[in-house]
Amino acid sequence: MPKPRRKKRHGGFTAWLFALPALVVYIAFLVYPAFSSLFFSLTDWDGLSPTYNIVGLGNYTAMPHDPVVIQAAINNLIWTVVTIAVPVVLGLTLAVILNGKVRGKPILRMFYYTPGVLPLVAVASIWGWLYNPDYGAINTFLRAIGLDSLAQPWLGQNSTALAAVMVPAIWLRTGFPMLLYLAALQGISQDQYEAATMDGATRSQQFWHITMPNLRSAHYIVLALSLIDSFKVFDLIYATTYGGPGTATQVMGTWMYFNAFQYYKAGYGTAIAVVITVVAIAVSIPYVLSQTKEQDS
């Protein structure tokens, strides 16, 4: 008897054919710009001229000797610590409260999360008005209650500018961890709390020994995304203080922008962008590894 012919399988080719459009877009808008940026960071390109010189690692070795880069890195570190710790603690606190018996939960959730979806330009305008030294709501209130000595140009002096910009950042970022923690809290079985209550555990003990361990995955997500977001900070500072006064609120993102698009040092600005990208990838690796281990286990 003749052997039946085997049908040729084109599954692999068909899969690549379907993935091709997405792959082209990925290469065109992510891979190619990434490698182009890496290349231009090794040049002295001004961003406009068709010619440039290869300087190797010169842009990178110049960074430790740039006082603004040092100031920006310190500001980034302060920004990262404050705008992660405070929103995470506030978000977790609000999530625990809203997970309990509270009236008007949907309204409260919307109220706390709304700042996170506002356009950053609008947020900068709102807080710029609040901080206005002459007719802003904050100084007007301080003068109205007799605390004229505390009224000051919040965004116009080195001692308060960075802290003043971090306040709207905290206001913006509290809603996101709140929602993630709230979703994670609702996934914890109430049987664990009931058993702990029967064993005589206090609410504090239940929080530390039941709630916190069950929020481990949520902690990873919140901290990883917040950390990456903090290193990429640019728009809020640019829209409120423009990096000033002086360099008081400069961060790596704004200093990269100024060098690349205003000082015509595109090579140097691109090198700063590469450093920001490398740091963001590095801090996300522990999260990716932890998620991979959880999926494998």
Side-chain angles (χ1 to χ4, degrees):
M1 293 178 63
K3 295 182 179 180
R5 294 182 180 180
R6 294 181 179 179
K7 294 182 179 180
K8 294 182 179 180
R9 296 181 179 179
H10 301 284
F13 176 76
T14 305
W16 276 104
L17 193 62
F18 277 109
L20 186 60
L23 184 62
V24 170
V25 172
Y26 181 80
I27 293 174
F29 292 99
L30 185 64
V31 177
Y32 174 73
F35 279 99
S36 297
S37 298
L38 183 60
F39 171 76
F40 284 118
S41 72
L42 305 176
T43 70
D44 62 352
W45 188 42
D46 61 5
L48 297 174
S49 175
T51 60
Y52 47 80
N53 299 310
I54 303 296
V55 297
L57 298 177
N59 291 325
Y60 295 95
T61 57
M63 288 185 199
H65 306 287
D66 184 349
V68 182
V69 166
I70 303 300
Q71 180 67 51
I74 293 172
N75 289 343
N76 256 116
L77 182 61
I78 296 172
W79 181 279
T80 299
V81 172
V82 175
T83 60
I84 289 179
V86 178
V88 167
V89 172
L90 289 176
L92 179 57
T93 303
L94 290 173
V96 171
I97 294 172
L98 292 177
N99 193 49
K101 297 180 180 179
V102 180
R103 292 182 179 179
K105 286 184 182 180
I107 297 175
L108 290 174
R109 291 174 190 171
M110 181 183 67
F111 176 77
Y112 291 128
Y113 187 71
T114 297
V117 298
L118 293 177
L120 284 170
V121 175
V123 173
S125 299
I126 292 170
W127 284 90
W129 172 77
L130 291 173
Y131 282 134
N132 187 282
D134 298 321
Y135 52 83
I138 295 175
N139 282 349
T140 300
F141 174 75
L142 291 173
R143 295 188 184 103
I145 62 176
L147 297 176
D148 300 59
S149 59
L150 296 180
Q152 51 193 302
W154 300 97
L155 297 175
Q157 57 187 10
N158 294 356
S159 58
T160 59
L162 185 61
V165 180
M166 286 192 289
V167 172
I170 293 170
W171 181 62
L172 284 171
R173 297 183 179 187
T174 300
F176 177 69
M178 180 201 71
L179 283 186
L180 288 180
Y181 282 131
L182 187 58
L185 286 170
Q186 292 175 349
I188 301 175
S189 174
Q190 293 299 315
D191 294 340
Q192 299 181 50
Y193 294 103
E194 293 174 1
T197 303
M198 292 177 64
D199 291 337
T202 63
R203 288 193 175 183
S204 177
Q205 291 172 330
Q206 292 178 25
F207 177 79
W208 290 109
H209 297 286
I210 298 177
T211 304
M212 291 300 284
N214 280 283
L215 294 179
R216 187 178 293 110
S217 297
H219 290 322
Y220 281 130
I221 297 173
V222 170
L223 292 177
L225 295 181
S226 299
L227 198 57
I228 294 170
D229 194 38
S230 296
F231 276 110
K232 298 189 303 179
V233 58
F234 165 79
D235 34 22
L236 185 59
I237 290 180
Y238 182 83
T240 51
T241 64
Y242 207 61
T247 60
T249 59
Q250 285 283 5
V251 291
M252 296 294 283
T254 54
W255 191 232
M256 174 273 295
Y257 172 83
F258 288 134
N259 277 279
F261 299 105
Q262 293 195 0
Y263 303 154
Y264 302 106
K265 296 180 180 179
Y268 187 59
T270 306
I272 297 175
V274 170
V275 171
I276 296 172
T277 304
V278 170
V279 172
I281 293 174
V283 299
S284 65
I285 289 176
Y287 166 70
V288 175
L289 292 177
S290 65
Q291 292 298 103
T292 304
K293 289 180 180 178
E294 286 187 8
Q295 291 177 1
D296 293 340
S297 59

